[in-house]
Amino acid sequence: MAFVSTRDPDGPRYGLAEALRLGPAPDGGLFMPERLDPLPSQILDDLPGRPLAETATGVLEHLVGDDLPAGALGPLAAEALDFPIPVVPLRDRLALLELFHGPTLAFKDVGARFLARLLAVTRDGDGPCTVLVATSGDTGGAVAQAFHGVAGVRVAVLYPAGKVSPLQERQFTTLGGNVRAFAVDGVFDDCQRLVNEAFADRALATDLGLTSANSINVGRLLPQILYYLHAASQVEPGRRVLFCTPSGNFGNLTAGLMAKRLGLPCRFLAATNANDVVPAYLETGLFEPRPSVPTLSNAMDVGHPNNFPRILHLYGGDLHALRRDVRGLRFDDDATRGAIARVFRDHGYLLDPHTAVGVLAMEAVLSEEPEDTLGIVLSTAHPAKFAEGVEPVIGRSVPIPEALARHLDAEVRSEPLPAQVDALRQRLRSWSRP
């Protein structure tokens, strides 16, 4: 499998190892597979009932098998995906794909754990490796814990000061060791900009061996294809599937659209909060990034989605074709709180704010769909990670799982950082090699 840049699809081709190492393409674009050949019917037909790790092995061997050592994918998938991802019925025709059973209780565990192991398998030599990641919440914890303690690798997590939930923050600021957390004076878009500017400094990127663990790294994106296929395999044969993806940076939806290109018959809803530049694009044809605004579903507070160029690349810029596969909807915080309260009251199921946005979108359109349609909402995080927003809505405390509780009494290690690339450059260059 060769990878190309979204900015120059006819330009240079890169192998998997180089694409993983570089993160963004050298021209500032994002890597995408040169082609997405449909999965063989044998793989698609064998999906029902297969364990997730087996699905991962078959699908990724189809995509990148030739780029990895023989026999590497099976053990890698088994180690990275050692937790369940069930489809859980909520009510008639509406189900939740629970993606929060990994070690940091968020869907980012799938991509982060796979990426860490892919880098280990493909990394050449013992040169420096610095993983630079921006987070609006869950990515930081998933990446930090996936790489924590990995020899020869250091992790720099950039997050907007005061704009992630306290438990999210503790998941990446209490690890220490080879993980360093920087509280940026700004919003998530500033963190994302700093990462992009750091990679654009080729001398810095080369000297420090910079690589990304955000969804701009194709190695984090490819594994996310797997749970769409795995979810569909749990659906009764013959039923139509409509996925709803709570969306911020749009990597998760991009992975779903790639699964469709591989042969998965489905359509999508892109559900956002007030940061709705992609739903607005689907309505008007104009992509107009703007400063993000804070909401209850903070991990989706993105005003300039990094992965949007990948979606345009997949569809060749054909807005009408994209509209056939994706519908965008947005909901405010009052509606989100209302959904959390109502679902808890009526079904005894506690939603996190991001999943609540997805449920609202699915409820808004499901009655318009054929009767044999199953709506599957991606449940992206455990509600305990957002207890401060959820508890006032339901009027009771949310039990804290052990995976989160162990961070409560640990020492927080976080450094303030101006939203200036010069400041980031200085911090990274002064960091001694692990």
Side-chain angles (χ1 to χ4, degrees):
M1 170 63 70
F3 294 87
V4 299
S5 170
T6 53
R7 289 191 178 177
D8 187 12
D10 297 321
R13 269 57 182 156
Y14 298 82
L16 176 65
E18 193 170 16
L20 295 177
R21 177 180 59 82
L22 289 171
D27 64 3
L30 301 179
F31 284 119
M32 283 289 284
E34 181 181 19
R35 65 184 191 279
L36 285 168
D37 296 332
L39 290 165
S41 58
Q42 180 181 357
I43 293 180
L44 287 171
D45 293 344
D46 288 348
L47 288 177
R50 295 187 74 184
L52 177 59
E54 289 185 16
T55 295
T57 303
V59 172
L60 292 177
E61 280 183 348
H62 170 77
L63 288 172
V64 298
D66 291 342
D67 291 321
L68 296 173
L73 260 175
L76 188 156
E79 185 178 326
L81 304 175
D82 60 350
F83 50 90
I85 301 181
V87 174
V88 177
L90 183 64
R91 61 171 177 81
D92 184 45
R93 301 179 61 206
L94 197 161
L96 301 170
L97 179 63
E98 291 187 342
L99 293 165
F100 52 74
H101 294 289
T104 71
L105 308 184
F107 82 96
K108 305 292 179 71
D109 284 323
V110 173
R113 287 169 63 81
F114 228 103
L115 174 60
R117 288 154 179 81
L118 280 174
L119 283 171
V121 170
T122 59
R123 191 175 168 208
D124 184 19
D126 60 354
C129 180
T130 304
V131 176
L132 182 59
V133 61
T135 185
S136 57
D138 287 328
T139 295
V143 169
Q145 294 197 36
F147 286 92
H148 185 228
V150 175
V153 177
R154 52 191 175 187
V155 182
V157 180
L158 277 60
Y159 69 103
K163 295 180 176 64
V164 303
S165 80
L167 276 174
Q168 285 177 314
E169 183 179 27
R170 283 186 165 273
Q171 285 189 303
F172 56 81
T173 59
T174 59
L175 297 175
N178 65 324
V179 176
R180 196 167 169 186
F182 297 96
V184 175
D185 182 16
V187 296
F188 171 72
D189 292 314
D190 293 307
C191 301
Q192 193 160 255
R193 172 180 55 79
L194 290 177
V195 169
N196 292 336
E197 290 175 351
F199 277 102
D201 183 339
R202 298 314 304 168
L204 181 72
T206 300
D207 292 348
L208 301 183
L210 286 187
T211 191
S212 172
N214 280 100
S215 54
I216 59 174
N217 193 311
V218 74
R220 227 198 72 190
L221 189 67
L222 292 176
Q224 292 179 250
I225 295 171
L226 302 172
Y227 46 70
Y228 286 96
L229 295 163
H230 184 62
S233 76
Q234 300 175 60
V235 176
E236 181 183 349
R239 296 196 71 174
R240 305 170 200 252
V241 175
L242 176 65
F243 284 108
C244 181
T245 306
S247 300
N249 224 359
F250 279 81
N252 211 357
L253 180 62
T254 302
L257 295 172
M258 292 169 73
K260 182 177 179 67
R261 193 63 56 90
L262 290 172
L264 182 64
C266 59
R267 291 181 298 109
F268 298 89
L269 303 176
T272 75
N273 54 32
N275 298 283
D276 63 347
V277 294
V278 173
Y281 168 79
L282 290 169
E283 293 168 3
T284 67
L286 299 175
F287 182 62
E288 299 178 323
R290 58 179 182 269
S292 61
V293 296
T295 73
L296 186 66
S297 48
N298 65 280
M300 305 192 316
D301 293 348
V302 183
H304 192 166
N306 237 359
N307 279 283
F308 188 66
R310 282 188 165 125
I311 295 177
L312 294 180
H313 172 87
L314 273 174
Y315 285 83
D318 187 338
L319 176 59
H320 297 293
L322 180 59
R323 282 171 171 164
R324 285 194 293 269
D325 291 342
V326 182
R327 179 175 173 182
L329 299 96
R330 82 273 287 165
F331 298 91
D332 62 21
D333 282 354
D334 286 342
T336 303
R337 293 187 184 95
I340 293 171
R342 173 171 46 80
V343 169
F344 187 69
R345 181 190 67 234
D346 294 346
H347 303 286
Y349 192 101
L350 186 56
L351 303 170
D352 83 280
H354 310 79
T355 306
V357 172
V359 167
L360 285 164
M362 187 63 75
E363 290 178 334
V365 306
L366 195 55
S367 63
E368 306 169 6
E369 297 293 319
E371 283 296 320
D372 62 351
T373 301
L374 178 65
I376 301 179
V377 178
L378 274 62
S379 185
T380 55
H382 194 288
K385 301 186 78 168
F386 307 94
E388 70 285 350
V390 170
E391 289 178 345
V393 174
I394 63 172
R396 64 181 69 181
S397 62
V398 178
I400 303 298
E402 173 57 29
L404 296 178
R406 62 189 176 89
H407 295 282
L408 292 178
D409 296 324
E411 179 187 357
V412 172
R413 302 177 178 92
S414 179
E415 308 171 39
L417 182 74
Q420 301 166 2
V421 72
D422 286 344
L424 175 62
R425 186 184 294 114
Q426 189 276 327
R427 300 288 183 90
L428 293 178
R429 284 197 176 280
S430 65
W431 193 356
S432 60
R433 183 175 172 181

